[in-house]
Amino acid sequence: MGSGDRATGHPRRPGFQAERCRSQLLGRQAECGQLDRLLAAVRAGESRSLVVRGEAGVGKSALLEHLTKTASDCRVVGAAGVQSEMELAFAAVHQLCVPLLDRLDDLPEPQRDALGTAFGMRAGPAPDPFLVSLAVLSLLAAAAEDRPLVCVIDDAQWLDRASVQVLAFVARRLFAESVACVFAVRESGEADAADGLSGLPVMEVAGLRDDDAHALLSTVVLGQMDDQVRDQIITEARGNPLALLELPRDLPSLKLAGGFVAPAARTLSGRIEKSFQRRLERLPADTRQLLLLAAAEPLGDPVLLWRAADLLEDGVGIAAADAAEDMIDVGDRVRFRHPLVRSAVYRAASPEQRRSVHHALAEATDIEADPDRHAWHRAHGTAQPDEWTAAELEHSAARAQARGGLAAAAAFLERAAALTPDPGRRAERALAAAQATHQAGAPDNALKLLSIAAAGPVDDRRRGRIELLRAQIAFSMDRGRDSFALLLKAARRLQPYDPPLARETYLEAINAALFAGPLADNGQLKVAKAALSAPGTTGAPRPADLLLDGLTTLISDGYGAGVPSLQPALSAFTDPDLSPEQGLRWLWLAGTTAATVWDYETWDVLATRHIQLVRESGDAAMLPFALTALVAVNMIAGELGRAASLLEEVKTVCEAIGIAYPVHGFLLTAAGQGRQTDHDEMMGTVVAEATRRGEGSALIVSGWTTALLCNSRGRYEDALVAARQTTDHPQRETSAALGWALVEEVEAAARSGALDRAADAFRRLSERTGPSGTSWALGVQARSRALISSGADAEDHYREAIDRLGPTRIRGELARAHLVYGEWLRRERRRSQAREQLRTAHEMFTAMGMEAFADRAARELRATGETARKRSVETTGQLTPQESQIARLAREGLTNKEIAGRLYLSTRTVEYHLHKVFAKLGITSRNQLGRDAFRDL
């Protein structure tokens, strides 16, 4: 029979899957019931996700088969992880989505382009993985419009990293789409790709009960069995169905009857795999060769299998498949009886045998249609360094990177480096592999690759690049006290050979020192002095160059010289023509710098622009941090409702992509709103994490918010302790929060009677606010000066503070100016005037949701003989946080598709939530959301 006849597939042995499914479902009524309830919910229009977790052989795949058979009225699509495909980006997602690609044109254009590029169907810039994720979510939702959709993913521990990211995202964002995502994951003691599924509902599949284990064992041992042997097998199998089916096969009938069984020394999965290997040894050589081909070929393509079989030295006939029919099923797809069979076959082969089958698979793979798999098999079929193969892998890495597959690119480059004959070129490819691996989020492996690059022949330029990447990896792993020193060392190394890159590295070092804060031992000053000795720019300076020059002047010479030198940089970053590359890389630091020099308007513009660029880039991982910066902008302005809405988006994004919340934004709003318990609970987490990571800037922020909260509650001595712990750091630390903490220290010290301390804090504060010259800076300075003044001077400064802050958006600081002025007037026994100021402060604080400050104003009002009036709060119909968030965005004019993209939901889910919003609020259209009755949304 020729290969063309074989391509039709070997007929499947009757009952091959059914027999296994029946045996491994024995005693699984509870698990089957849970899957049945999942299907019922999906049929009712809801979405469900489930991770089926258990050890190898416990029956996860059989439960998935039960699910697919029960879902006969649904559309079922599936995918399976394959260990050898873990480096091929989006392999599992592509497998899952291929049957649904007829709906591709229904997606919004950005999503359609991203998914098409990721699947290699069209050319374009590398898509962001989260835009790909949103595209898959939309595709599944569209497919489910006709009938419920069930997605079944087996062996999820072997999914490629890009697919795990996408499928975990989709599973977390499903809500009202009639879609089920069910994953089977092998339990192991090691970290694997499926760790990305954490947080999803889990069904643990344990071993069978003893009575069910006895019943299953009796189906495979038909002759006499000694009771002690039976008990030992059941004990060692721990209820594992596959073990109960396979372990007796290793025991001769005499041992089954007589009880002479050696104790086990291997793990259960190891024993099962060894059992398969012993059975493999009894098979003919051509059958073992066919099985090895199938184990090395992850696609399960019978045409490719037989084509490669013909290319082997002696050829492999159809009889080889017949001899292994209890281990493999060659039909429309090539299926192993169990994944352990595949791994047993591959492990049992010698390196030479593996290279032989990979070489055959490379030759059988169409290099035009699938160049990356051709390169991958060729690389595994090559024992010696080979430049042609290494170059082919390098091309595959470039294609993978263009599709957004950073993990795949890293794997291709790592193998390319290993196969490169020339030592210099090997070092360069190892460096490129380390860069890709770092970008793919595997810092430990990236450091190993850097060691390979450093071991080769490297010149000073390459050594500088190696040191830079090592420093960047250190900063990504731990934004603590050591990162800035590594970046500083790299910048000095690069300075003679690549001045522009060296200047960028100096700026990165300043940023790292800013994160390390007081724990960096004057880190900012050390970097600034080194940067001042570096050559200046040639030609037109980039925005990053201007920012570096301004920051080094600010750090070295203080605010008087630094503020004017920073103006060109801040203007450059507010320029509408700023490139997205420069914006994405440096806008966060530029915005922080604007806040440090008390330039609120510029800070607001830069933070808003940063979020816009992050949204356009699709970089969801960066979005929570960009949003947190805007939370601070709004909190300083007293716009706590807006800040709370942004925090809901932070939570939404973090939950969608499976990362921890950046706590700082929640800490700020808790302090601003006066929520002592919430603030204290978060403080423990922030301080512990900041101490562990050496991130001193977080300690400054937490100290400032503690002082703010204590001042709002009138606990001035506690506020002074928190403020002093924060401000007793080198004066040249450029930290916005340090300046704000000085504001709190002035008030706390003045109210506690520590006038010398208040005067010293004011001196340090005025060195920052005076050169700034903004209304925010001068208004806060005037208010602080008033607190340490007396008589007519104090009143003049209070009035100046109100006049300067009045025209700004910074309503919280203005309300505080009214409050402290009113308190001073009351102590001066000018009760009528005090009531006016305190009433204004109380109304402003109440409207902003600054409850502790509002209570402080109310107490002062009562001391003047007036009771503060309570403000009635409009009801929003008990909307959930997500409903409120969607209602806000709809009120701002966003379409359902735009809201879906913003919140990483499907359009159908947005429609579902809006329908509930309308019902709760008693309205019939989104236009009514703009009415005054719903202004508190």
Side-chain angles (χ1 to χ4, degrees), residues 373-637:
R373 267 195 188 84
H374 175 273
W376 191 246
H377 283 305
R378 184 181 178 88
H380 281 74
T382 303
Q384 302 299 323
D386 177 18
E387 176 57 30
W388 193 91
T389 302
E392 191 178 5
L393 286 168
E394 196 170 30
H395 292 317
S396 292
R399 285 189 292 268
Q401 204 149 13
R403 295 195 302 270
L406 289 173
F412 283 128
L413 287 168
E414 182 175 358
R415 184 63 177 160
L419 291 175
T420 302
D422 178 70
R425 193 151 192 180
R426 184 188 312 125
E428 187 65 26
R429 282 173 173 155
L431 178 56
Q435 181 74 52
T437 303
H438 167 53
Q439 291 174 338
D444 291 334
N445 197 38
L447 288 173
K448 293 177 184 177
L449 289 164
L450 268 184
S451 298
I452 296 173
V458 293
D459 56 19
D460 285 340
R461 183 190 300 270
R462 186 179 294 161
R463 186 171 288 108
R465 290 168 55 206
I466 290 171
E467 290 178 357
L468 172 58
L469 182 54
R470 182 173 283 114
Q472 291 171 333
I473 293 170
F475 184 65
S476 69
M477 296 174 69
D478 186 350
R479 300 179 189 274
R481 60 179 67 87
D482 299 326
S483 302
F484 88 91
L486 294 173
L487 286 162
L488 179 56
K489 180 182 177 182
R492 285 170 168 158
R493 175 82 68 179
L494 289 164
Q495 189 171 301
Y497 307 101
D498 194 338
L501 181 57
R503 288 180 62 80
E504 289 182 349
T505 307
Y506 280 122
L507 192 55
E508 284 191 58
I510 287 177
N511 187 49
L514 176 63
F515 270 93
L519 301 180
D521 189 21
N522 282 317
Q524 291 184 42
L525 187 58
K526 292 175 181 177
V527 178
K529 287 182 176 179
L532 285 171
S533 67
T537 57
T538 57
R542 301 165 298 176
D545 293 316
L546 297 171
L547 185 58
L548 176 63
D549 292 339
L551 280 172
T552 54
T553 303
L554 177 70
I555 297 165
S556 301
D557 301 329
Y559 278 68
V563 171
S565 68
L566 277 167
Q567 293 309 314
L570 296 179
S571 297
F573 279 101
T574 56
D575 190 329
D577 294 330
L578 177 73
S579 72
E581 180 185 9
Q582 287 276 299
L584 286 169
R585 188 169 183 186
W586 302 116
L587 268 172
W588 185 90
L589 180 57
T592 298
T593 301
T596 299
V597 297
W598 302 82
D599 187 347
Y600 180 85
E601 287 73 19
T602 299
W603 183 26
D604 186 18
V605 169
L606 296 180
T608 303
R609 177 77 186 282
H610 190 205
I611 288 177
Q612 178 187 349
L613 287 177
V614 171
R615 291 195 200 283
E616 290 172 355
S617 73
D619 189 348
M622 191 188 295
L623 187 55
F625 301 97
L627 287 168
T628 297
L630 195 57
V631 167
V633 171
N634 284 276
M635 185 269 182
I636 289 294

Side-chain angles (χ1 to χ4, degrees), residues 277 280 288-289 292 296 343-358 380-381:
Q277 288 178 350
L280 184 67
R288 294 199 302 271
Q289 205 167 27
L292 182 55
S343 58
V345 169
Y346 199 78
R347 288 173 190 267
S350 68
E352 184 179 354
Q353 289 170 329
R354 293 177 193 169
R355 286 194 294 270
S356 175
V357 297
H358 278 295
H380 281 74

Side-chain angles (χ1 to χ4, degrees), residues 13-25 65 69 216 219-220 245 249 337:
R13 180 164 66 89
F16 177 83
Q17 299 293 336
E19 176 185 329
R20 189 188 76 165
C21 185
R22 282 197 301 273
S23 64
Q24 294 192 330
L25 284 179
E65 289 177 32
K69 290 176 181 177
L216 180 57
T219 66
V220 291
L245 294 173
R249 295 176 185 264
R337 177 183 177 190

Side-chain angles (χ1 to χ4, degrees), residues 56-378:
V58 81
K60 303 180 298 297
S61 297
L63 287 168
L64 294 190
E65 289 177 32
H66 166 78
L67 175 68
T68 57
K69 290 176 181 177
T70 308
S72 57
D73 59 327
C74 305
R75 186 172 187 178
V76 180
V77 293
V82 178
Q83 197 167 14
S84 59
E85 278 207 321
M86 291 181 70
E87 291 87 3
L88 298 180
F90 304 111
V93 169
H94 185 261
Q95 185 182 351
L96 185 77
C97 292
V98 161
L100 311 177
L101 291 180
D102 58 320
R103 307 298 294 264
L104 186 63
D105 290 340
D106 295 341
L107 303 185
E109 184 176 356
Q111 297 179 29
R112 183 173 66 246
D113 291 344
L115 196 59
T117 304
F119 289 170
M121 299 165 59
R122 64 187 68 188
D128 181 86
F130 296 108
L131 191 57
V132 175
S133 300
L134 188 57
V136 173
L137 175 63
S138 300
L139 188 67
L140 298 186
E145 291 177 357
D146 299 329
R147 55 178 171 150
L149 178 68
V150 178
C151 304
V152 178
I153 301 96
D154 204 356
D155 287 320
Q157 74 278 356
W158 289 333
L159 294 177
D160 62 278
R161 187 179 302 170
S163 290
V164 171
Q165 189 178 50
V166 169
L167 295 174
F169 174 98
V170 169
R172 292 186 182 102
R173 306 312 295 160
L174 289 168
F175 187 80
E177 294 85 5
S178 292
V179 176
C181 282
V182 181
F183 305 85
V185 177
R186 180 186 299 185
E187 189 178 71
S188 68
E190 301 177 358
D192 54 45
D195 288 345
L197 302 176
S198 60
L200 296 177
V202 175
M203 180 172 74
E204 297 286 354
V205 183
L208 299 175
R209 296 178 306 178
D210 283 353
D211 54 345
D212 291 321
H214 276 278
L216 180 57
L217 186 59
S218 67
T219 66
V220 291
V221 181
L222 302 180
Q224 184 181 5
M225 179 183 290
D226 184 270
D227 288 343
Q228 290 181 338
V229 175
R230 177 188 291 108
D231 291 343
Q232 183 176 347
I233 290 174
I234 288 174
T235 298
E236 292 184 358
R238 300 194 308 275
N240 185 293
L242 185 62
L244 290 165
L245 294 173
E246 292 300 327
L247 294 183
R249 295 176 185 264
D250 285 340
L251 302 177
S253 58
L254 287 177
K255 289 188 177 181
L256 289 173
F260 301 104
V261 183
R266 295 181 300 274
T267 63
L268 180 60
S269 61
R271 292 189 65 199
I272 298 172
E273 188 172 309
K274 193 65 177 177
S275 170
F276 287 134
Q277 288 178 350
R278 278 194 289 268
R279 291 166 60 190
L280 184 67
E281 292 168 358
R282 297 191 287 267
L283 295 174
D286 60 344
T287 299
R288 294 199 302 271
Q289 205 167 27
L290 180 68
L291 287 170
L292 182 55
L293 264 177
E297 195 286 294
L299 295 179
D301 181 355
V303 176
L304 182 59
L305 177 70
W306 291 120
R307 188 185 299 144
D310 283 341
L311 294 172
L312 292 173
E313 185 175 347
D314 298 323
V316 176
I318 190 72
D322 292 330
E325 64 177 1
D326 64 336
M327 301 182 79
I328 193 172
D329 179 31
V330 184
D332 57 336
R333 291 282 303 277
V334 180
R335 297 177 177 87
F336 281 92
R337 177 183 177 190
H338 191 275
L340 285 178
V341 178
R342 180 190 289 271
S343 58
V345 169
Y346 199 78
R347 288 173 190 267
S350 68
E352 184 179 354
Q353 289 170 329
R354 293 177 193 169
R355 286 194 294 270
S356 175
V357 297
H358 278 295
H359 181 75
L361 286 166
E363 294 299 313
T365 301
D366 187 338
I367 192 171
E368 297 294 333
D370 200 348
D372 297 338
R373 267 195 188 84
H374 175 273
W376 191 246
H377 283 305
R378 184 181 178 88

Side-chain angles (χ1 to χ4, degrees), residues 559 596 598 727 731 736-747 757-772 776-785 787-788:
Y559 278 68
T596 299
W598 302 82
T727 61
Q731 193 167 352
L738 184 57
W740 304 335
L742 286 168
V743 175
E744 303 306 325
E745 184 177 2
V746 171
E747 183 168 338
R757 184 72 193 189
D760 181 66
F762 175 75
R763 176 188 58 77
R764 295 177 63 188
L765 173 65
S766 60
E767 289 174 356
R768 293 167 174 259
T769 52
S772 170
W776 176 21
L778 297 180
V780 168
Q781 177 178 298
R783 190 185 74 207
S784 300
R785 189 191 298 273
L787 288 166
I788 60 173

Side-chain angles (χ1 to χ4, degrees), residues 6 8 426 477 491 749 791 906:
R6 294 186 213 160
T8 59
R426 184 188 312 125
M477 296 174 69
S906 73

Side-chain angles (χ1 to χ4, degrees), residues 648-732:
E648 279 301 316
E649 188 170 352
V650 170
K651 290 174 64 176
T652 295
V653 176
C654 290
E655 289 169 358
I657 64 179
I659 65 173
Y661 306 152
V663 183
H664 297 68
F666 296 89
L667 201 65
L668 298 184
T669 54
Q673 293 170 340
R675 292 184 283 113
Q676 182 81 53
T677 301
D678 292 344
H679 181 272
D680 291 349
E681 288 177 356
M682 285 183 280
M683 271 287 293
T685 301
V686 169
V687 172
E689 186 66 12
T691 303
R692 182 187 68 82
R693 293 168 61 96
E695 193 173 328
S697 60
L699 299 177
I700 293 177
V701 170
S702 60
W704 161 56
T705 59
T706 300
L708 170 65
L709 181 61
C710 291
N711 273 335
S712 72
R713 291 178 167 270
R715 292 167 39 202
Y716 302 115
E717 292 183 358
D718 292 339
L720 181 57
V721 171
R724 290 187 64 175
Q725 290 174 347
T726 303
T727 61
D728 283 344
H729 295 302
Q731 193 167 352
R732 285 176 178 171

